[in-house]
Amino acid sequence: MNKHANHIKQRLSLRQPLKESLDILVQLEKALSLDKKADLESELAKIQALHPSVKDFERDFVSLCFHIATGVGKTRLMGAFIAYLYLERGIKNFFILAPNLTIYEKLMEDFGNPAYSKYVFSGLGEFVHQKPLIITGENYNQVGSLFSNSEVRINIFNVAKFNSDSKGSKKDGVNLAPRIKRLSEYLGQSYWDYLTRLDDLVILMDEAHRYHADSSKKAINELKPVLGLELTATPTDEKNKPFKNVVYEYSLARALEDGKYVKSPAIATRRNFRSQGMSAEEIERIKLEDAISIHLDTKAELEIFHKNTGAKLVKPFVLVVCRDIAHAKEVYNYINSSLFYGGAFVGKVLQIDSSTKKDEEIDRQFVELERPENQIEIVIHVNMLKEGWDVSNLYTIVPLRAANASILIEQTIGRGLRLPFNGERTGVDKLDKLTVIAHDNFEAVIAEAQNPDSVLNKMSFVQLDEDGFTPTLETVNSPSLVEAKFQREERLIEQIQDQAKRTQAKFGLSARRVMIQTFPQAGKMEGVQSAADLSKPEVKAYVIQKVREEMTTGQVDLFFDSELEKIEAEYEQIVSDYKSNIIEIPRISLTQDNPKAWFEDFDLFTDEGFNFLPLTEEIMVVELTGERKVDTVGVKHGATIKDPPVHQIISELINFPEIDYDEVGELLYKLANQALAKIKENNPDPAKFVLTVRQYRKPIAWQIYQQMRGYFRISDPEYIAPSVQAFQKINEWNFTTIPGGRRDYKEVITPVSLIPKLVFTGFKKAGHLEYKFDSKTEKDFAYILENDGSVLKWLRPAVGQFLIYWANNSKLYVPDFIIETADAIYMAETKAKDQLNSAEVLDKKKAAETYCRYATEYTTANGGKPWRYLLIPHDEVGMDRSFGWFLK
């Protein structure tokens, strides 16, 4: 393993495809001469020995292409390439080529601004203490340290600078050369000549398919770099011929199959949609209507995700693709009017095409589309969004009047595949999906999806019921019972007519609220093992002091002291009310330890694979004149390996990545000696035995390693013993519902598919006033809990209520229900019967049972109730069941 490559992978947090690409560069860098005068045929032969698929460099220098899907991180990979070549090979001169102004400006920010969130060298100390010198098309004539050897120099140029920098410039009627190729008084030569004379120039080509036309290829060849590194998501030239120099491929199809680094695209249509007899305008309006429905649904889900997890608020937008400028203007006027959803999107739509590109305000709004405060929700474009348009909040695409829908969709989805949350999927389907509306072309797209070479082959298909989406969704906040009581009291206080009394009542309410918020903090105090300990004098003093500090941060009210005395007198009653409205849930952060790996002890099987015999070792001596006689001289060893045979074998074994000498040294000696004993049987002569081991030490180690692999074991990760806090606050819920979507939990809902869209109320024992359910099973189970006399309290925990990690700490487990009875607290999960023994359910069960074990150890030692886990098959849940039924 290369230490510099490993350092870069860790510090830049490279994704797996980028790690693999960097490993290939490490391999190639070792093989190539990286010399301007290198023989291309011999260099190609070196590459083909490692990558037979490479047929030609396609340039006048060694140039290799990395096919990386959009959204996976091509820019970060360029940064990794530069860092590696500098650290490993000492290369300091780099030239990054951008195909257009958008990418050019983006690259200058990515490589030149350490304060930028996407700065490519963030985390690399070598580039923090000595920031690379960024040379651009604007400053190359003013940079004063070109010839310094102290820093890395990264040239970033738009390809137009090569040939168009002098457009319109003439002298004596003769066209001047591009400015970059003219004499510079400071340099004594043109900047172009300076670059071509560098003996360590490496060129990196972003969107490399844009530089295979003859004109740009000729200009790039003139630079004479020692190496070219090409990156593109579409490795075909202007004639649609595939590149011949691709050394690595991570295509969009593969990225979609992996399901890690990009959104999952889906094609949507209305169920039973028939376009026959409809005008083009009617079809467009239906498509726009469904796009807005999906958009508002996604927008609400993003808001809920933000509230529940604390993740950044992402504002989604819709991309409408039009045929031409006139069509775009027509669609813009319709959406930006009162005819479209009653004017709900007036001022929230942007038209981007050649007719608007010089408008500074439109350009500003377009550039700032990802900012939550940006008001634009719909972008209309006509073939303007090409490479470099780097946004992560595009969730819905509507192609209108497309001549070839499948081609348009393939070309357009790349603009919306980036993920907004640190480039990672959330696990929430709606937030990890890009939806393309294709009603009138649905069948054509499905037909194209049968082509295994098409990106559409990896897309999912969604059929929308005509009433499946509603253009408006209501966001619902369901606070805990404790907070709900405060909110009710707030509404009553607002009705007090006397201002002084209303102010005094507000102050008292605020003080009680601070007190309640302080209770979980008091749970961290020494000697506090349960909510009952809130009544201890030292805890009461702590809470009252916190209330005093919080309430005196601003201007002190005249009635401050009297109100505080009143709150202090009511302390025990407030504690009692608090305990009656919560379930005491221990605060336990449950994480998994790293899995253990080991080799089991075994005896080596030596009947096969160890029958090695020594090779004759002679020195050939050939006369250079006359008859050129050949003589031989036997080798007399005395300067080669002197280590004992067993050490030679072990030295080879520890080169295998799984083998750690400190962990398995005793086993290695045992196996090596068993192998050597077999070899000695066939070579009893001591000299021949030593010679055989020296000659075959690698194959001997390989044979031992192959058998060791059969005894390699990895444990399931165990949970680390956690610290426990006595109790915690009950988190609030945030979710969405359709307008008028509140129902009493006792109502029978038909069809049952409507249940996940509704919010249910009317609970008396629950920890919140309102809940949503994912299924009829969950709703029926809630009915059982609410109406069973043995159940004292229950709740559906919100996201973040439990910190129970599973799947190597990559996922958070959220139980369905928490139920308190007179003698225990239960964590319950309802599941489809056929899923009970699935790996995922069993992993979650292990995590939940571990939580219950640690919680029980703590609560029973401190006078509390034990915790138990219930996994309930769906077909056991019926409204006629009692909770006791499940305990059997």
Side-chain angles (χ1 to χ4, degrees):
M1 293 185 178
N2 184 281
K3 67 175 184 179
H4 286 139
N6 286 339
H7 172 65
I8 292 166
K9 289 175 189 177
Q10 293 168 4
R11 302 305 296 169
L12 297 188
S13 302
L14 297 185
R15 296 168 174 172
Q16 189 58 34
L18 307 186
K19 291 180 181 178
E20 292 171 1
S21 298
L22 183 58
D23 286 339
I24 288 177
L25 178 65
V26 171
Q27 179 191 56
L28 299 176
E29 177 267 324
K30 300 301 181 191
L32 295 168
S33 62
L34 299 188
D35 191 322
K36 295 173 84 78
K37 298 177 182 178
D39 179 72
L40 291 186
E41 287 189 13
S42 67
E43 296 294 273
L44 181 59
K46 294 176 186 176
I47 297 298
Q48 289 176 331
L50 300 169
H51 301 277
S53 61
V54 176
K55 304 302 180 187
D56 192 90
F57 292 136
E58 302 199 56
R59 304 190 188 277
D60 292 348
F61 53 90
V62 176
S63 191
L64 299 162
C65 177
F66 293 79
H67 176 189
I68 306 290
T70 297
V72 176
K74 293 193 296 295
T75 307
R76 183 161 287 265
L77 181 58
M78 284 195 288
F81 283 169
I82 289 172
Y84 174 76
L85 290 171
Y86 166 63
L87 295 174
E88 182 72 17
R89 197 83 173 220
I91 291 175
K92 293 184 178 178
N93 290 289
F94 299 90
F95 192 101
I96 301 178
L97 200 53
N100 57 43
L101 188 59
T102 302
I103 294 181
Y104 173 59
E105 292 174 347
K106 172 179 169 291
L107 289 173
M108 285 193 292
E109 190 81 349
D110 289 338
F111 283 88
N113 183 3
Y116 182 45
S117 60
K118 297 179 182 178
Y119 181 58
V120 296
F121 299 122
S122 181
L124 282 177
E126 297 86 349
F127 289 82
V128 172
H129 303 301
Q130 192 156 12
K131 193 175 73 170
L133 177 65
I134 305 300
I135 304 166
T136 70
E138 282 65 46
N139 71 359
Y140 66 89
N141 262 338
Q142 291 87 45
V143 177
S145 57
L146 292 179
F147 301 104
S148 166
N149 289 319
S150 60
E151 76 275 283
V152 173
R153 293 173 289 279
I154 302 176
N155 296 270
I156 303 175
F157 277 78
N158 182 355
V159 70
K161 287 289 178 185
F162 290 177
N163 299 312
S164 307
D165 211 10
S166 61
K167 198 169 185 179
S169 299
K170 291 188 177 183
K171 186 174 183 179
D172 300 328
V174 178
N175 284 324
L176 295 174
R179 191 171 293 112
I180 196 172
K181 296 184 178 180
R182 298 180 210 163
L183 178 67
S184 163
E185 292 184 9
Y186 171 73
L187 297 173
Q189 59 186 321
S190 72
Y191 188 68
W192 187 263
D193 287 338
Y194 159 74
L195 289 173
T196 61
R197 289 185 170 89
L198 292 171
D199 59 7
D200 68 341
L201 183 67
V202 171
I203 184 169
L204 298 100
M205 290 164 262
D206 194 11
E207 306 295 351
H209 57 281
R210 301 288 292 275
Y211 316 116
H212 274 249
D214 290 341
S215 58
S216 60
K217 186 179 285 190
K218 180 177 180 294
I220 294 168
N221 283 337
E222 289 179 17
L223 279 171
K224 302 174 185 175
V226 298
L227 177 66
L229 298 170
E230 307 180 22
L231 297 97
T232 180
T234 52
T236 54
D237 62 18
E238 75 282 0
K239 297 177 183 176
N240 210 32
K241 293 180 180 178
F243 288 5
K244 298 177 182 179
N245 62 341
V246 176
V247 289
Y248 179 77
E249 180 178 24
Y250 190 79
S251 63
L252 179 55
R254 188 174 159 195
L256 294 175
E257 195 170 301
D258 283 354
K260 293 180 181 178
Y261 311 118
V262 294
K263 293 190 189 108
S264 175
I267 303 293
T269 188
R270 280 197 184 181
R271 195 181 304 277
N272 303 320
F273 182 81
R274 292 292 178 268
S275 60
Q276 291 83 354
M278 290 186 181
S279 66
E281 186 179 63
E282 287 177 304
I283 294 171
E284 283 186 2
R285 294 194 174 190
I286 290 173
K287 290 171 75 172
L288 288 170
E289 182 177 280
D290 286 346
I292 294 302
S293 298
I294 292 172
H295 165 68
L296 293 175
D297 186 57
T298 304
K299 185 179 179 182
E301 288 294 335
L302 284 164
E303 183 180 342
I304 294 302
F305 187 73
H306 160 67
K307 288 181 177 179
N308 284 341
T309 67
K312 68 177 180 179
L313 178 62
V314 173
K315 181 219 65 176
F317 73 92
V318 180
L319 177 63
V320 181
V321 186
C322 291
R323 183 185 63 249
D324 52 36
I325 293 175
H327 182 211
K329 187 63 178 175
E330 173 190 327
V331 173
Y332 172 83
N333 289 337
Y334 169 58
I335 295 176
N336 199 46
S337 73
S338 59
L339 298 174
F340 191 71
Y341 287 105
F345 293 92
V346 171
K348 298 180 180 180
V349 56
L350 205 63
Q351 181 183 344
I352 299 293
D353 54 47
S354 58
S355 69
T356 64
K357 66 180 182 180
K358 294 183 179 179
D359 187 309
E360 289 186 8
E361 178 57 20
I362 289 177
D363 184 60
R364 182 191 64 78
Q365 290 180 313
F366 181 60
V367 169
E368 296 176 354
L369 272 172
E370 286 185 302
R371 295 188 178 182
E373 62 271 19
N374 183 290
Q375 295 298 304
I376 301 302
E377 295 190 48
I378 302 172
V379 172
I380 301 171
H381 93 93
V382 181
N383 198 33
M384 287 287 289
L385 309 182
K386 301 182 185 294
E387 300 97 350
W389 191 57
D390 187 11
V391 292
S392 59
N393 58 331
L394 171 56
Y395 275 90
T396 313
I397 298 176
V398 194
L400 300 181
R401 301 186 202 174
N404 189 324
S406 59
I407 291 176
L408 177 63
I409 290 169
E410 280 208 50
Q411 292 175 341
T412 308
I413 61 171
R415 308 276 63 83
L417 289 176
R418 287 178 174 83
L419 291 161
F421 300 102
N422 298 319
E424 297 175 354
R425 290 195 175 189
T426 64
V428 180
D429 180 62
K430 291 179 181 178
L431 308 191
D432 297 334
K433 182 164 64 181
L434 171 69
T435 304
V436 183
I437 308 295
H439 295 4
D440 49 334
N441 293 290
F442 192 71
E443 292 180 4
V445 174
I446 289 179
E448 176 62 21
Q450 307 309 308
N451 176 4
D453 296 326
S454 171
V455 169
L456 303 183
N457 182 261
K458 305 297 179 184
M459 299 179 76
S460 58
F461 297 91
V462 180
Q463 287 192 324
L464 311 174
D465 292 325
E466 191 159 346
D467 60 349
F469 282 95
T470 305
T472 54
L473 286 172
E474 180 183 340
T475 300
V476 177
N477 171 260
S478 182
S480 67
L481 287 184
V482 174
E483 178 60 25
K485 288 182 68 175
F486 283 133
Q487 291 179 4
R488 283 197 299 270
E489 191 172 345
E490 274 180 330
R491 290 191 291 271
L492 292 173
I493 289 172
E494 289 300 325
Q495 297 174 20
I496 298 174
Q497 298 299 314
D498 187 292
Q499 183 175 347
K501 290 182 178 180
R502 186 168 64 248
T503 302
Q504 186 173 359
K506 283 183 178 181
F507 182 89
L509 176 63
S510 296
R512 289 197 303 278
R513 187 174 254 153
V514 171
M515 183 180 290
I516 294 292
Q517 291 169 350
T518 305
F519 285 163
Q521 298 175 30
K524 300 177 184 178
M525 293 177 63
E526 187 177 349
V528 177
Q529 279 90 32
S530 70
D533 292 330
L534 291 172
S535 297
K536 290 182 174 181
E538 65 270 24
V539 178
K540 179 180 178 180
Y542 169 81
V543 173
I544 296 298
Q545 180 59 31
K546 284 291 182 182
V547 174
R548 185 181 298 276
E549 290 172 2
E550 183 72 23
M551 301 305 292
T552 55
T553 53
Q555 182 177 353
V556 178
D557 292 275
L558 296 174
F559 43 79
F560 173 82
D561 289 329
S562 62
E563 279 299 313
L564 201 59
E565 287 176 8
K566 187 188 299 184
I567 294 296
E568 195 167 351
E570 296 174 354
Y571 183 84
E572 289 301 330
Q573 184 59 49
I574 294 171
V575 168
S576 177
D577 290 345
Y578 175 74
K579 289 191 295 183
S580 67
N581 284 299
I582 68 165
I583 296 176
E584 291 188 44
I585 300 174
R587 186 73 170 179
I588 300 174
S589 182
L590 197 62
T591 58
Q592 292 175 305
D593 199 356
N594 293 324
K596 305 265 189 310
W598 73 96
F599 287 96
E600 288 185 348
D601 187 33
F602 72 100
D603 289 314
L604 198 68
F605 178 74
T606 58
D607 290 356
E608 297 177 3
F610 294 93
N611 299 316
F612 298 104
L613 296 173
L615 298 171
T616 302
E617 293 189 328
E618 296 178 326
I619 302 170
M620 291 183 61
V621 182
V622 182
E623 293 183 1
L624 298 179
T625 59
E627 298 179 7
R628 296 198 175 183
K629 292 179 181 179
V630 177
D631 196 4
T632 59
V633 178
V635 174
K636 183 176 178 61
H637 295 287
T640 54
I641 298 172
K642 294 181 180 180
D643 288 340
V646 68
H647 290 174
Q648 294 180 40
I649 303 303
I650 291 174
S651 293
E652 296 297 333
L653 282 169
I654 61 177
N655 287 329
F656 295 107
E658 301 96 327
I659 297 177
D660 183 339
Y661 178 81
D662 293 334
E663 297 289 333
V664 292
E666 188 175 336
L667 178 62
L668 294 182
Y669 270 98
K670 171 185 169 181
L671 299 178
N673 281 318
Q674 289 176 345
L676 293 174
K678 179 64 177 179
I679 294 168
K680 188 173 283 189
E681 285 180 17
N682 298 327
N683 300 275
D685 182 299
K688 287 187 176 181
F689 167 70
V690 171
L691 178 61
T692 302
V693 174
R694 185 179 65 79
Q695 290 177 333
Y696 292 101
R697 61 188 184 279
K698 289 182 184 294
I700 294 168
W702 174 256
Q703 292 290 349
I704 297 173
Y705 170 66
Q706 290 303 307
Q707 292 191 37
M708 289 181 70
R709 289 176 62 185
Y711 294 88
F712 185 62
R713 303 289 182 262
I714 299 179
S715 68
D716 290 332
E718 294 300 323
Y719 282 93
I720 302 169
S723 60
V724 182
Q725 183 181 325
F727 58 92
Q728 56 182 301
K729 74 169 187 175
I730 303 301
N731 290 353
E732 65 180 21
W733 267 103
N734 293 283
F735 32 66
T736 58
T737 186
I738 56 179
R742 282 179 167 81
R743 298 285 188 277
D744 190 279
Y745 79 94
K746 300 185 190 71
E747 285 188 40
V748 176
I749 305 299
T750 55
V752 294
S753 60
L754 193 59
I755 289 174
K757 301 174 184 178
L758 302 174
V759 168
F760 293 89
T761 64
F763 306 111
K764 303 299 183 185
K765 298 180 182 179
H768 302 79
L769 297 181
E770 299 176 307
Y771 283 127
K772 286 189 78 170
F773 300 107
D774 295 327
S775 64
K776 181 178 183 297
T777 300
E778 290 183 353
K779 177 179 175 296
D780 289 349
F781 191 70
Y783 179 92
I784 294 168
L785 301 178
E786 190 68 17
N787 291 279
D788 191 295
S790 69
V791 174
L792 302 178
K793 290 178 276 189
W794 67 275
L795 62 84
R796 281 174 64 74
V799 175
Q801 188 72 70
F802 287 88
L803 300 176
I804 304 175
Y805 291 91
W806 63 288
N808 290 318
N809 299 321
S810 65
K811 296 180 180 179
L812 195 63
Y813 173 58
V814 182
D816 287 342
F817 297 90
I818 303 298
I819 307 108
E820 183 172 358
T821 65
D823 56 2
I825 298 176
Y826 297 88
M827 179 182 289
E829 181 92 8
T830 60
K831 217 68 184 174
K833 185 176 182 179
D834 61 355
Q835 295 178 16
L836 292 182
N837 292 312
S838 69
E840 178 177 322
V841 170
L842 292 177
D843 283 349
K844 289 180 178 179
K845 179 184 177 185
K846 178 182 177 182
E849 288 178 337
T850 304
Y851 175 92
C852 289
R853 175 164 58 85
Y854 282 116
T856 297
E857 287 176 4
Y858 181 85
T859 55
T860 55
N862 295 287
K865 299 175 182 179
W867 280 69
R868 295 170 186 159
Y869 181 66
L870 299 176
L871 181 59
I872 302 169
H874 79 285
D875 58 350
E876 291 288 338
V877 178
M879 295 171 69
D880 58 339
R881 295 276 194 252
S882 68
F883 182 63
W885 170 269
F886 304 108
L887 303 186
K888 296 177 183 178

